[in-house]
Amino acid sequence: MPEPLIYDLGAPGRTGVGMPAPDVPLADLPAGLVRENLPLPELGELEALRHLTRLSQLNHSILTGFYPLGSCTMKYNPIVNEETARLGGFAHAHPLQPAEMMQGSLAVMYHLQEWLKEIGGFAAVSLQPAAGAQGELAGVLMIRAYHASRGETQRNKVLIPDSAHGTNPATSAMSGYRVVEIPSDARGNLDLEALKAECDDTLAALMLTNPNTLGLFEEQVQEAIEAVHAAGGLVYGDGANMNALLGIARPGDLGVDVLHYNLHKTFTTPHGGGGPGSGPVGVAAHLADFLPGPIVGIEEEGSEEMGPVYGWHQPPKSIGRLKAFHGQFGMHVRAFTYILMQGAEGLRSVAEHAVLNGNYLRVKLQGAYKVPYDRVCMHEVVLEGRWADAPDIHALDIAKRLMDFGFHPPTNYFPLIVREALMIEPTETESKEVLDAFVDAMLKIAEEAHTTPELLQQAPHTTKYGRMDEVKAARQLVLCCEIPKEVAVSE
Ligand SMILES: *Cc1c(COP(=O)(O)O)cnc(C)c1O
């Protein structure tokens, strides 16, 4: 059956709500406030619900299938998070309520700050940033403020490995720094000699992702951090994906000075269309005064019965605010819930299973696909989506073909240093059966690439829309299937 356009549904005068007759005199709205020509569909509740449900089913989501999007940590978001976030005291709190009236909410934020400090090995945390990228901006602005406070304004460059996420160089450039790329070596580690050659008194920072985006633990992380510190630079840790480290290694202990966490990756708050991001930053003691604020502190220890009194606190040399009010509070409640439900042992087992699952896929797939850096991986594995004897097949074809098997494609063409990269992150929340089904599909696709390549090149075959022009789809976003002319005009 062809998909009905919402504009063809309904009938004039039909409505989904029954309003009581007004008991006040009707008045006209001020002229100019109401558009005369606004042909919106008039629908009953059931029609509207069916339309929205149909649309939601066109989308792949973690609730409908495996979503191995590397670096993005698309793990299951437990429903209990949603329950706590919807508790009236949290959901209905007004951000302008004074601290005395929000003690419960402040307690949640305070404990989340404390737990993130403990997990990352840091002296202080701010929950302000609204995304990983904004956490990075906070971190690099703090680094700049720190150097300025010491009169070291000649420090003008940031070192970034060539495997890094694109937000790292973007953040550094936005903060006024020159970006110097550090190559990776044959084992997929950052090239220590190249790094050392850049360690001089113009060095502001190294931005380091560990495990890096090849899914590999940086084997010389200690030496790299020492070299940067010896030159007076600071180390920024990109902690977007803490899945391999939880309860096992702490970036702060390794010497990282500042790091952002992605609550929407590691700590199961919703992702992308599902909800706003949240990218708290943790810092070592020498950066604590520069944190974006306000952050939550204890004002008075209080009585044993009532517990401490919490209040807002602006760090003395703060880089300022990054977000209206208190950051993404609903996400703080969800991450708080997740950490509380896991406990310390649960968090460690998250990391163990995330790494186990990553390696399970690596070992199962490495015969059929080339693993460019062939060593034990962490929470994700990067493959090459190409074969010398199937020259017309690209990573994109493999990714699209996976959709026919009911899987979301992995991240592809990133990291940039792997040709035709397929970056696969299974996460700890998937069962062995799901991983096996994914492996079967990948092996089948590898076979098809050699026997029936056109199946891959024309994929996907089972989705409502076939292969799209992805750039155009992102740049010219059309949210209404087909927009009637009357609606498309915007004066
Ligand atoms: C996702 C990610 C980021 C950016 O996080 P956003 O919340 O999308 O801004 C930065 N670095 C790495 C390694 C990431 O995976």
Side-chain angles (χ1 to χ4, degrees):
M1 200 175 83
E3 196 76 17
L5 289 180
I6 186 152
Y7 292 96
D8 297 336
L9 297 176
R14 188 173 300 167
T15 161
V17 284
M19 299 281 273
D23 58 359
V24 291
L26 293 180
D28 287 331
L29 285 165
L33 207 62
V34 186
R35 249 206 276 172
E36 290 295 332
N37 177 24
L38 189 62
L40 291 177
E42 297 174 66
L43 306 176
E45 180 173 317
L46 178 58
E47 285 166 307
L49 205 54
R50 282 192 181 145
H51 173 71
L52 294 171
T53 305
R54 194 165 44 233
L55 287 186
S56 75
Q57 288 170 341
L58 294 178
N59 226 355
H60 188 95
S61 84
I62 192 72
L63 294 181
T64 47
F66 187 42
Y67 209 133
L69 200 58
S71 204
C72 292
T73 315
M74 302 300 289
K75 58 162 105 173
Y76 172 58
N77 301 162
I79 296 299
V80 65
N81 295 353
E82 299 305 314
E83 299 212 3
T84 54
R86 282 167 177 71
L87 290 173
F90 296 137
H92 301 151
H94 192 283
L96 288 177
Q97 272 172 258
E100 309 87 83
M101 291 175 68
M102 301 184 58
Q103 286 294 304
S105 298
L106 266 66
V108 163
M109 295 177 75
Y110 180 81
H111 282 105
L112 182 59
Q113 288 171 191
E114 291 297 302
W115 292 342
L116 291 177
K117 275 160 62 175
E118 178 64 26
I119 288 167
F122 291 109
V125 162
S126 167
L127 302 178
Q128 277 257 313
Q134 209 188 23
E136 288 178 37
L137 182 65
V140 176
L141 291 179
M142 280 189 270
I143 288 170
R144 201 176 69 170
Y146 171 83
H147 289 312
S149 76
R150 295 155 53 94
E152 299 191 4
T153 47
Q154 85 288 359
R155 297 189 179 272
N156 64 4
K157 70 178 172 191
V158 173
L159 312 182
I160 301 182
D162 57 5
S163 59
H165 196 266
T167 47
N168 291 188
T171 299
S172 299
M174 274 181 76
S175 308
Y177 283 120
R178 190 162 64 83
V179 173
V180 178
E181 188 173 282
I182 303 296
S184 302
D185 67 17
R187 280 184 63 75
N189 294 313
L190 70 79
D191 184 328
L192 195 56
E193 291 317 309
L195 175 85
K196 285 183 175 165
E198 292 288 346
C199 287
D200 53 33
D201 70 354
T202 67
L203 175 61
L206 162 69
M207 289 187 92
L208 186 70
T209 311
N210 188 30
N212 62 32
T213 65
L214 296 165
L216 302 174
F217 195 87
E218 285 287 348
E219 291 169 310
Q220 293 158 313
V221 61
Q222 212 73 74
E223 291 90 330
I225 290 175
E226 278 163 20
V228 170
H229 283 164
L234 296 181
V235 177
Y236 184 93
D238 182 334
N241 322 92
M242 286 279 288
N243 244 29
L245 301 184
L246 291 174
I248 295 176
R250 306 197 309 168
D253 296 343
L254 293 172
V256 168
D257 299 284
V258 44
L259 171 134
H260 78 268
Y261 309 80
N262 275 27
L263 299 188
H264 49 290
K265 289 180 184 168
T266 313
F267 299 100
T268 65
T269 73
H271 231 199
S278 183
V281 271
V283 291
H286 50 276
L287 289 177
D289 285 351
F290 298 94
L291 276 174
I295 59 182
V296 182
I298 291 184
E299 301 287 291
E300 279 168 50
E301 279 310 326
S303 66
E304 201 166 306
E305 201 179 325
M306 294 294 291
V309 178
Y310 300 99
W312 297 113
H313 161 69
Q314 190 71 9
K317 299 178 196 160
S318 174
I319 57 163
R321 259 188 186 283
L322 280 174
K323 183 78 183 81
F325 304 117
H326 315 306
Q328 308 283 24
F329 175 67
M331 301 303 145
H332 304 158
V333 179
R334 288 173 174 87
F336 170 90
T337 306
Y338 176 68
I339 296 172
L340 187 65
M341 297 290 288
Q342 291 291 346
E345 281 173 27
L347 289 180
R348 188 184 167 99
S349 100
V350 163
E352 288 168 350
H353 287 92
V355 172
L356 182 64
N357 286 358
N359 281 288
Y360 185 73
L361 292 186
R362 177 180 62 82
V363 171
K364 288 278 185 183
L365 294 174
Q366 70 187 352
Y369 292 82
K370 182 170 175 209
V371 180
Y373 299 94
D374 189 11
R375 46 185 258 223
V376 171
C377 64
M378 294 287 116
H379 58 296
E380 59 198 358
V381 58
V382 179
L383 311 175
E384 280 189 10
R386 67 189 186 110
W387 297 273
D389 55 354
D392 296 331
I393 294 296
H394 301 279
L396 188 68
D397 304 316
I398 299 165
K400 295 297 181 194
R401 182 68 178 138
L402 268 169
M403 296 166 78
D404 291 334
F405 291 85
F407 298 113
H408 193 283
T411 298
N412 44 68
Y413 299 96
F414 177 75
L416 303 176
I417 54 174
V418 173
R419 287 180 66 185
E420 302 286 335
L422 290 170
M423 183 196 215
I424 304 172
E425 180 179 5
T427 85
E428 77 287 357
T429 59
E430 297 294 340
S431 68
K432 179 168 178 297
E433 291 75 21
V434 170
L435 301 186
D436 285 336
F438 177 73
V439 167
D440 288 347
M442 287 290 284
L443 298 181
K444 181 97 199 324
I445 291 170
E447 189 189 302
E448 289 173 353
H450 294 87
T451 55
T452 47
E454 63 289 350
L455 260 184
L456 275 66
Q457 285 155 342
Q458 289 157 19
H461 303 274
T462 58
T463 52
K464 179 164 163 54
Y465 296 101
R467 196 174 292 203
M468 308 228 188
D469 179 334
E470 293 180 355
V471 176
K472 211 167 165 193
R475 296 274 183 264
Q476 296 175 16
L477 196 62
V478 179
L479 291 173
C480 281
C481 352
E482 270 163 57
I483 311 174
K485 272 215 181 61
E486 317 88 86
V487 181
V489 291
S490 57
E491 288 103 341

